[in-house]
Amino acid sequence: GQSLEQPSEVTAVEGAIVQINCTYQTSGFYGLSWYQQHDGGAPTFLSYNALDGLEETGRFSSFLSRSDSYGYLLLQELQMKDSASYFCAVSSSSGGSYIPTFGRGTSLIVHP
Amino acid sequence: EAEVAQSPRYKITEKSQAVAFWCDPISGHATLYWYRQILGQGPELLVQFQDESVVDDSQLPKDRFSAERLKGVDSTLKIQPAELGDSAMYLCASSVDRNSGNTIYFGEGSWLTVV
C-alpha cells in the first residue's frame, strides 16, 4: 500500500520561512508533488520533483530525496495569503498510469 | 485560462436518494479523475479515466457509486443510494494524459451534504 506523513499544522509569522515535511512509503514511485488549497477552494498545483534535489519557483521551493523517501516544501517571505492547507502527493505507477495519491495535508497559519 | 468545470457546486440530499455530479475537464485532457475529500483530510482517488476507459477504480464503492465518461470528454459520478457518510466534497480533475499524473488540475468541487 501507500502512505504519506506530513504534520497536521504549522504556524509562522509574516515574512518568515517555513518548511513542511513529507515522508512517504510507496511502490513504483515516480515523483512528489505539492498542492495548495485555501478554505472552500480547489487544490492548485505548486511544484513537482521527480529527481533528487531542490526545485525553486519564486517564493516556493520543493526538495526530494528518493533514497530517504522524503521531501519538503519551503515557503519564503511568508504572506498572510499563504495561510492554506498544503498537500504532498506521490505519483506511483500502476498499470501504465501514474496515480497521484495525496497526504492528509498540513494547515499553515500565518500570523501578522 | 482553461478550467475544469463541475456542477452542481452544492447539493443537499436525503439518505437513500440518488445524486449525480457532472464534470467537464480542460479541453484536450485525456485523463480525468474523481476524488472525494472529507473535511480536514486529503483528496482520495475514486476513479481515473483515460479517454473513455477506466484505468483505476479500486477505491470506488461499486455497490453504490458509478462513474462514466462515455465519449471520453465529460464525466458523471453517481451515488445511489446516498448514505450519511457520503457527505464530502467531490473533486474532478484532469491532466494531459496518464503519464502527467504529477500535474493535475482540479475543478472547484461539488459539496455534498446527506441528511
Side-chain angles (χ1 to χ4, degrees):
Chain A
Q2 299 174 330
S3 69
L4 295 96
E5 294 289 334
Q6 51 181 129
S8 59
E9 185 176 295
V10 173
T11 60
V13 297
E14 228 177 345
I17 299 173
V18 72
Q19 179 174 311
I20 300 173
N21 298 319
C22 175
T23 58
Y24 59 86
Q25 287 185 329
T26 186
S27 57
F29 177 82
Y30 187 68
L32 185 72
S33 303
W34 289 91
Y35 289 78
Q36 178 192 61
Q37 185 178 31
H38 286 98
D39 281 349
T44 55
F45 173 79
L46 290 177
S47 68
Y48 171 73
N49 296 70
L51 303 175
D52 287 356
L54 191 69
E55 294 283 341
E56 298 182 66
T57 310
R59 294 187 297 114
F60 295 179
S61 303
S62 58
F63 172 84
L64 174 66
S65 169
R66 295 174 68 111
S67 60
D68 295 323
S69 297
Y70 164 76
Y72 66 73
L73 180 69
L74 190 74
L75 297 87
Q76 303 182 70
E77 303 173 16
L78 280 174
Q79 302 175 10
M80 297 295 291
K81 67 178 182 179
D82 296 330
S83 292
S85 292
Y86 292 84
F87 296 90
C88 59
V90 292
S91 291
S92 54
S93 60
S94 174
S97 293
Y98 296 100
I99 310 287
T101 301
F102 287 76
R104 293 176 64 91
T106 297
S107 177
L108 172 62
I109 301 170
V110 180
H111 295 289
Chain B
E1 183 176 315
E3 295 182 343
V4 176
Q6 287 190 246
S7 66
R9 188 83 168 93
Y10 303 95
K11 180 71 178 180
I12 300 175
T13 191
E14 295 182 346
K15 64 180 181 179
S16 80
Q17 295 299 303
V19 63
F21 304 108
W22 175 81
C23 172
D24 191 12
I26 293 172
S27 179
H29 280 197
T31 306
L32 184 147
Y33 314 79
W34 282 103
Y35 282 86
R36 175 171 60 187
Q37 186 176 25
I38 296 170
L39 201 61
Q41 298 185 21
E44 173 196 4
L45 181 68
L46 293 174
V47 61
Q48 179 184 357
F49 289 93
Q50 176 68 21
D51 300 311
E52 67 277 5
S53 301
V54 173
V55 172
D56 187 306
D57 64 355
S58 57
Q59 301 303 311
L60 187 71
K62 297 181 188 64
D63 57 335
R64 297 184 302 107
F65 286 65
S66 64
E68 61 183 15
R69 193 185 184 199
L70 294 177
K71 297 182 179 179
V73 181
D74 59 338
S75 175
T76 302
L77 177 70
K78 297 179 180 177
I79 309 174
Q80 181 174 21
E83 296 181 352
L84 295 177
D86 297 332
S87 294
M89 181 162 67
Y90 291 83
L91 289 159
C92 180
S94 68
S95 62
V96 172
D97 57 42
R98 61 182 181 177
N99 296 323
S100 302
N102 50 290
T103 310
I104 61 177
Y105 300 88
F106 285 88
E108 289 295 315
S110 294
W111 287 93
L112 173 65
T113 301
V114 182
V115 297

